[in-house]
């Protein structure tokens, strides 16, 4: 984090009035806020300024937010909260698939937005105590992989890195810490996503499906993260 006392938020939205409102509201609540109005400006600011979180609008003229997120996730793991028009479920699902950390519908409820931002920042890879590997780094080996908790990275036994979003890292870390223990969706949402379970919220299933495609030999018949019907999931690499 850039400054523990004053996290920096980058707002990328073409609505100037909304940007001004967010700058004023969040600025009064201990955040440093930078606003830009398109994806090109966002990339330019990120190249020169370290930020702790990005608020990214989906519906921007020119390069939309989902396209910008795809480009961003190629080499940047800064937490991203997407702002979507009310009812645009497909955009939210696609955003989560592409690595967004959370989403919020417009019109924005400022108190909820502040709570979501704080929750995402709390989840930003803080390293918990874990077994140290031979080189002294905290790591969790499983199967042909090693999860490096210090670097928030996953490596194959060949040394090749498997790209993970911040949320995918938190999910894998949660599973590794609860090896062979069945976790229901409520537990996963609370511990890795900081959100009470809505029975219609499929974000965890989407994220686990995406994670399986990265680590399972056969994602259609997963052996590492197995589904326990009617309950949730279990991480059982043994």
């Amino acid at each position: 984090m850039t400054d523990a006392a004053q996290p920096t938020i980058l707002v990328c939205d073409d609505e100037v009035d909304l940007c001004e409102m967010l700058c004023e509201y969040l600025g009064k609540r201990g955040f440093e806020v930078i606003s830009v109005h398109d994806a090109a400006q966002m990339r330019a600011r990120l190249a020169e300024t370290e930020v702790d979180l990005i608020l990214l609008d989906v519906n921007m003229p020119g390069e939309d937010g989902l396209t910008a997120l795809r480009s961003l996730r190629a080499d940047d793991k800064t937490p991203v909260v997407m702002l979507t028009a009310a009812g645009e479920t497909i955009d939210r699902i696609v955003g989560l698939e592409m690595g967004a950390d959370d989403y919020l519908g417009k019109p924005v409820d400022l108190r909820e937005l502040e709570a979501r931002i704080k929750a995402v920042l709390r989840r930003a890879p803080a390293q918990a105590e874990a077994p140290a590997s031979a080189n002294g780094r905290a790591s969790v080996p499983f199967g042909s992989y090693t999860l490096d908790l210090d670097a928030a990275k996953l490596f194959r036994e060949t040394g090749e890195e498997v790209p993970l979003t911040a949320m995918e890292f938190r999910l894998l870390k949660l599973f590794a810490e609860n090896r062979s223990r069945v976790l229901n969706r409520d537990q996963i949402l609370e511990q890795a996503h900081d959100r009470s379970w809505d029975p219609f919220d499929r974000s965890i299933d989407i994220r686990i499906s995406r994670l399986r495609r990265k680590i399972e030999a056969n994602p259609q018949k997963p052996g590492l993260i197995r589904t326990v019907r009617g309950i949730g999931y279990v991480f059982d690499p043994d």
Side-chain angles (χ1 to χ4, degrees), residues 142-172:
F142 64 93
S144 60
Y145 298 94
T146 297
L147 185 64
D148 187 328
L149 300 182
D150 288 332
K153 293 181 178 180
L154 178 66
F155 296 96
R156 302 184 193 278
E157 58 186 357
T158 59
E160 176 190 4
E161 181 183 352
V162 179
L164 295 178
T165 67
M167 183 58 185
E168 288 167 351
F169 168 76
R170 289 193 296 271
L171 273 175
L172 199 48

Side-chain angles (χ1 to χ4, degrees), residues 87-226:
E88 292 186 342
T89 304
I90 188 63
D91 284 345
R92 298 180 182 188
I93 292 174
V94 173
L96 290 171
E97 284 268 14
M98 291 168 54
D101 293 83
D102 207 343
Y103 55 79
L104 191 64
K106 290 182 176 181
V108 174
D109 181 297
L110 294 175
R111 290 175 298 177
E112 182 179 4
L113 175 63
E114 181 185 2
R116 294 287 185 90
I117 288 173
K118 289 179 177 178
V120 170
L121 290 175
R122 283 199 303 271
R123 300 194 307 259
Q127 312 312 330
E129 292 183 6
S133 61
N135 62 7
R137 300 183 69 88
S139 62
V140 178
F142 64 93
S144 60
Y145 298 94
T146 297
L147 185 64
D148 187 328
L149 300 182
D150 288 332
K153 293 181 178 180
L154 178 66
F155 296 96
R156 302 184 193 278
E157 58 186 357
T158 59
E160 176 190 4
E161 181 183 352
V162 179
L164 295 178
T165 67
M167 183 58 185
E168 288 167 351
F169 168 76
R170 289 193 296 271
L171 273 175
L172 199 48
K173 178 174 178 289
L174 175 64
F175 281 128
E177 291 171 342
N178 292 274
R179 206 179 188 112
S180 301
R181 177 187 174 193
V182 177
L183 298 175
N184 61 41
R185 289 180 177 83
D186 199 7
Q187 292 170 314
I188 296 171
L189 282 164
E190 286 180 356
Q191 296 181 55
H193 202 256
D194 273 8
R195 183 186 295 172
S196 296
W197 180 43
D198 178 338
F200 299 103
D201 187 341
R202 311 305 295 176
S203 64
I204 287 299
D205 302 288
I206 292 168
R207 293 178 189 275
I208 289 176
S209 176
R210 193 168 187 268
L211 184 58
R212 280 170 168 168
R213 291 200 294 270
K214 294 185 177 183
I215 67 172
E216 297 281 3
N218 182 355
Q220 303 305 315
K221 296 181 179 180
L224 296 174
I225 303 174
R226 294 187 291 105

